[in-house]
DNA sequence: GTACGTGCAAAATGTTTGCATCATT
DNA sequence: AATGATGCAAACATTTTGCACGTAC
């Protein structure tokens, strides 16, 4: 296989530091996958990431994509979503935001930060505290999805 | 709609009426599946429903379970959720409620109605209206999940 | 040097589909 | 009688796993 090729860049250093901080080994594959994930505006599936990153890191395998995504999720650097469709989607875990999910196409989009924040701010922390103690459930985060259809699409009656 | 709390035949009639109302054919399989789904406290997967209902309706197939669930979802009698795990879960669509989803076990539970309602009521209708017009997205419903761990479970580090 | 990550392919899920038969309307 | 649902099995899609090798620490 390939000897270690390390592109010099501020961002790479930042990623290395991030990984080190979480006790993750920093491999070319992981670095590239995380960089791709973090730069994604939407929410790629494992397969999409695979094809995207494959061009940059040779010999990347889909298994590694899954392994890496799982590692990233486990240490809190990424999040896994399972929208309406059967395929899991991922994003780099920057901060909590709201998603829209189209019932027609299955597409998942972000709600812009400002709006997301306003929506999430509606839920008072005390209520969450109360839920935690009532349900004996430690809440790590609240996930909000707006289910519906993008304008121009109709739900077929049936 | 008049809902008598009465023997099985009454409930069966109610289901038939419900189906007729939506233009769904009422077969034994569908009736049994819907009854099972509606009585479920948790959120069965297709497979769980299959094994549960199989005892009551002879020769039920998994394909029919999927077909039926899809038909129910399409006409608004059921909802499909895709929690953290890779398996879709369903419930009879009574009213909107909040779910907890355990990061450790993947278990999905309902938040009791009163608490769910209080949480959902936090989101003002005007904000949703605003989101709809900003995003060009027709919101059918808001889905809230509390992600975390049930007490007594720890997230394992590595 | 060692523990862990990787690639490959095969296996384990989970879901959908084609077609002949059967039941509901 | 006609339309649509069912069952079966096979196709399909997605994710996980075992193993030999390579690499970061």
């Amino acid at each position: 296989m390939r000897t270690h090729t390390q592109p010099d860049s501020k961002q790479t250093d930042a990623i290395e530091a991030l990984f080190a901080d979480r006790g993750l080994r920093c491999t070319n594959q992981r670095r590239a996958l995380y960089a791709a994930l973090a730069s994604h505006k939407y929410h790629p599936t494992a397969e999409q990431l695979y094809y995207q990153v494959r061009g940059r890191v040779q010999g990347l395998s889909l298994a590694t994509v899954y392994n890496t995504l799982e590692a990233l999720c486990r240490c809190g650097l990424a999040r896994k979503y399972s929208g309406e469709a059967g395929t899991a989607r991922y994003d780099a875990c920057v901060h909590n935001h709201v998603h829209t999910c189209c019932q027609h196409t299955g597409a998942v989009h972000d709600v812009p930060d400002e709006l997301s924040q306003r929506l999430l701010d509606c839920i008072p922390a005390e209520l969450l505290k109360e839920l935690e103690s009532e349900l004996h459930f430690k809440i790590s985060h609240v996930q909000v999805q707006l289910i519906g259809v993008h304008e121009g699409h109709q739900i077929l009656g049936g």
Side-chain angles (χ1 to χ4, degrees), chain A residues 6-7 9 15 83 93 99 110 132 135 153-154:
Chain A
Q6 187 168 306
S9 95
I15 292 180
C93 180
H99 292 142
D110 280 354
E132 284 194 329
L135 305 172
H153 293 144
Q154 305 237 355

Side-chain angles (χ1 to χ4, degrees), chain A residues 44 71 73 93 97 108 115 123 131:
Chain A
C73 288
C93 180
H97 53 252
V108 177
L115 285 168
I123 302 169
L131 284 160

Side-chain angles (χ1 to χ4, degrees), chain A residues 21-155:
Chain A
D21 196 47
R22 317 269 173 151
L24 277 188
R25 273 199 192 172
C26 186
T27 66
N28 282 329
Q29 290 90 336
R30 289 183 168 188
R31 197 163 28 210
L33 282 166
Y34 180 74
L37 191 61
S39 72
H40 241 279
K41 193 165 154 37
Y42 304 114
H43 304 283
T45 63
E47 208 183 0
Q48 286 167 345
L49 272 177
Y50 172 59
Y51 284 114
Q52 180 184 341
V53 173
R54 196 169 204 205
R56 266 180 266 149
V57 177
Q58 71 233 103
L60 178 70
S61 84
L62 196 48
T64 297
V65 176
Y66 280 107
N67 286 336
T68 298
L69 288 170
E70 199 207 309
L72 290 174
C73 288
R74 209 171 38 219
C75 76
L77 287 178
R79 259 181 210 164
K80 180 180 183 177
Y81 295 95
S82 310
E84 296 277 288
T87 323
R89 292 167 173 280
Y90 299 85
D91 67 7
C93 180
V94 269
H95 51 270
N96 214 357
H97 53 252
V98 176
H99 292 142
T100 60
C101 183
C102 182
Q103 293 176 309
H104 195 224
T105 63
V108 177
H109 289 161
D110 280 354
V111 172
D113 285 345
E114 188 253 354
L115 285 168
S116 285
Q117 207 50 57
R118 276 174 58 200
L119 202 160
L120 292 169
D121 285 347
C122 292
I123 302 169
E126 307 89 57
L127 179 53
L128 295 179
K129 279 262 156 53
E130 191 181 335
L131 284 160
E132 284 194 329
S133 64
E134 293 259 350
L135 305 172
H136 305 288
F137 185 81
K138 172 77 184 149
I139 298 173
S140 125
H141 63 279
V142 179
Q143 200 175 284
V144 178
Q145 290 189 66
L146 307 176
I147 312 293
V149 288
H150 287 112
E151 218 126 274
H153 293 144
Q154 305 237 355
I155 298 188

